[in-house]
Amino acid sequence: MTAELQWTSASRTDVGLVRAINEDDCVALPERGLWAVADGMGGHSAGDLASRTIVLALEQMPVPSALSGMLDAALDALQSANAQLRESAARRGVRLIGSTVVALFACGRQCGWLWAGDSRIYLYRDARLTQLTLDHSHVAQLQAQGFLSAEEASHHPAQHLITRAVGAAERLRLDEGRIDALDGDMFLLCSDGLSNEMDAADIAAALASADCRLAADTLVDLALQRGGRDNITAVVVRADDPDTSDRTLANPAVRR
């Protein structure tokens, strides 16, 4: 019988060098196969409340024994958080209290993820970095339609305008993905305060260390060095196969 993968992780969030309040929040629970980042929408009321509401909803959800059950439970939890944020906005008389969300779930040897907004998940495997999420933003739509290059998109003035968020609409729309995880896989969940400050090569170089704590600290420190213009959050996750004793082909960077 094939052993289940073992999961480890590290997380770090920082207010950055410009903003007064950290509206990011995160959760890292490797023992439950649950990780998430939420980025409260800057410029709106109670962005920190929004991100905390999302994290609490995910932390309190049941832990089913199959990945499909985990994703269904997370969908229910996030729909509930969506309703709570809309009720909070109505009580306060404000138009919107909202937040992005990106969440990763692991069960056995499988992973699934959900997201709304422009917080991201990356996978580092076989010394290659892949972005697993597609930003829900106006700029990402323009880039997908061929109107903007990647370089133009990274400096576009509408870069922060997202098209989906928890709390933004009566019914929350989430996208979903799944993958079979391999020994040595490294995942990064991050807010745009991190991804906007660095390119794919920077992220890959940090994850190549195969050390969750070192990678998380390296990424946040680099985002701060480059200006820290927004709140910055990184959650780094690693999968290990206890049946594999040598350096894996899935991720040659893994040190044993």
Side-chain angles (χ1 to χ4, degrees), residues 62-86:
V63 186
S65 58
L67 181 62
S68 58
M70 294 180 76
L71 291 171
D72 287 344
L75 286 166
D76 289 343
L78 292 171
Q79 291 292 355
S80 177
N82 188 73
Q84 289 180 52
L85 293 180
R86 291 182 64 77

Side-chain angles (χ1 to χ4, degrees), residues 24 55 62 71 107 115 137 148 152 154 162 165 182 195 208 220 242 244 253:
D24 284 3
V55 164
L71 291 171
C107 188
W115 81 99
S137 69
L148 291 176
E152 289 170 335
S154 66
I162 61 175
L182 299 177
S195 57
V220 173
T244 303

Side-chain angles (χ1 to χ4, degrees), residues 13-14 22-26 37-40 51 191 193 230-233:
T13 186
D14 194 286
N22 191 351
E23 295 182 323
D24 284 3
D25 208 335
C26 63
V37 168
D39 178 359
S51 57
S191 61
D230 199 350
N231 306 146
I232 306 160
T233 300

Side-chain angles (χ1 to χ4, degrees), residues 109-211:
R109 304 180 75 88
Q110 291 184 307
C111 284
W113 57 93
L114 302 168
W115 81 99
D118 59 359
S119 294
R120 296 178 177 178
I121 295 182
Y122 294 90
L123 167 66
Y124 184 75
R125 174 188 286 178
D126 194 20
R128 295 173 60 184
L129 186 74
T130 303
Q131 185 177 329
L132 298 180
T133 54
L134 177 66
D135 294 351
H136 297 135
S137 69
H138 291 293
V139 168
Q141 288 179 347
L142 291 172
Q143 189 177 352
Q145 293 164 358
F147 295 116
L148 291 176
S149 68
E151 177 66 19
E152 289 170 335
S154 66
H155 300 290
H156 196 279
Q159 185 181 37
H160 300 291
L161 295 179
I162 61 175
T163 56
R164 291 193 209 177
V166 184
E170 185 172 350
R171 186 69 182 172
L172 173 63
R173 293 173 57 209
L174 292 157
D175 280 346
E176 176 183 326
R178 299 188 188 200
I179 196 171
D180 290 330
L182 299 177
D183 179 51
D185 280 351
M186 299 284 289
F187 297 86
L188 168 67
L189 291 74
C190 66
S191 61
D192 68 336
L194 189 147
S195 57
N196 285 341
E197 298 291 3
M198 60 191 69
D199 58 23
D202 297 320
I203 295 172
L207 296 179
S209 70
D211 182 314

Side-chain angles (χ1 to χ4, degrees), residues 197-254:
E197 298 291 3
M198 60 191 69
D199 58 23
D202 297 320
I203 295 172
L207 296 179
S209 70
D211 182 314
C212 294
R213 171 50 57 198
L214 177 60
D217 286 340
T218 297
L219 289 164
V220 173
D221 287 343
L222 184 57
L224 289 168
Q225 290 168 19
R226 295 190 175 173
R229 293 169 291 177
D230 199 350
N231 306 146
I232 306 160
T233 300
V235 176
V236 180
V237 184
R238 172 175 163 169
D240 285 295
D241 187 343
D243 287 344
T244 303
S245 58
D246 298 320
R247 185 173 296 178
T248 177
L249 292 177
N251 188 347
V254 171

